Amino acid sequence: SKRAPTATRHVRFSDGRNLDVALIYLGAGDLGPVDRKLIYHNQVDTSMTLTKFGRGICVYATGSGNTARPARADCGYLSVRLTPYDASATVIKYRPNDGKMASFGDSGGPDFVTDGYGNLLSIASVTSSGAADYLPGKPESAQWVTKEIRGTSAALLTIRDDIHRIIAE
């Protein structure tokens, strides 16, 4: 029989390390098979390819004035391969990849170190924030994004050991 996931523990990392990461323990952990990935054990660098995941907005807003139309929120899962332009132990920064994805992984999806064949090797970060252009005169919300300027992810390197300790508890 299927079981609904129930959050029974929540751990949040938000401190001077510029991280905004939450771990949520889902019930008894007996929700079926899980495709587990390790947390990347080195600092990401600007020569690496990462695959970002998320869901939500899938197109950009268009038009202007009375013809303005919001972006379409399809809640579908999205992914895109990107190379960071800057990376440290706590932050990974991206620029858009040919307009292939708005909002760089809405809903805080993970970023995976990816090999040349597209294989996901290990988790490097989670989506943290982004910067975008909006339609003039419209509210600054994802529905009115016309162009992504950059995205920032919280690298997991400095909290890797903490995550492993919490999972083992």
Side-chain angles (χ1 to χ4, degrees), residues 16-29:
R17 294 180 281 190
N18 294 321
L19 297 175
D20 186 9
V21 176
L23 300 177
I24 301 171
Y25 177 70
L26 299 175

Side-chain angles (χ1 to χ4, degrees), residues 48-135:
M48 300 172 74
T49 299
L50 281 81
T51 301
K52 297 186 71 55
F53 287 88
R55 62 186 293 185
I57 304 297
C58 64
V59 296
Y60 292 116
T62 59
S64 63
N66 292 335
T67 65
R69 297 287 177 263
R72 188 179 76 230
D74 67 355
C75 295
Y77 289 97
L78 308 171
S79 68
V80 65
R81 289 186 201 163
L82 296 167
T83 301
Y85 73 86
D86 189 19
S88 73
T90 57
V91 177
I92 301 170
K93 297 179 182 179
Y94 304 93
R95 289 192 182 94
N97 187 24
D98 303 323
K100 292 181 181 175
M101 185 174 178
S103 299
F104 288 119
D106 302 337
S107 303
D111 302 351
F112 286 86
V113 174
T114 307
D115 70 14
Y117 300 101
N119 296 309
L120 305 178
L121 304 177
S122 53
I123 301 170
S125 56
V126 293
T127 300
S128 181
S129 65
D133 283 339
Y134 301 89
L135 280 176

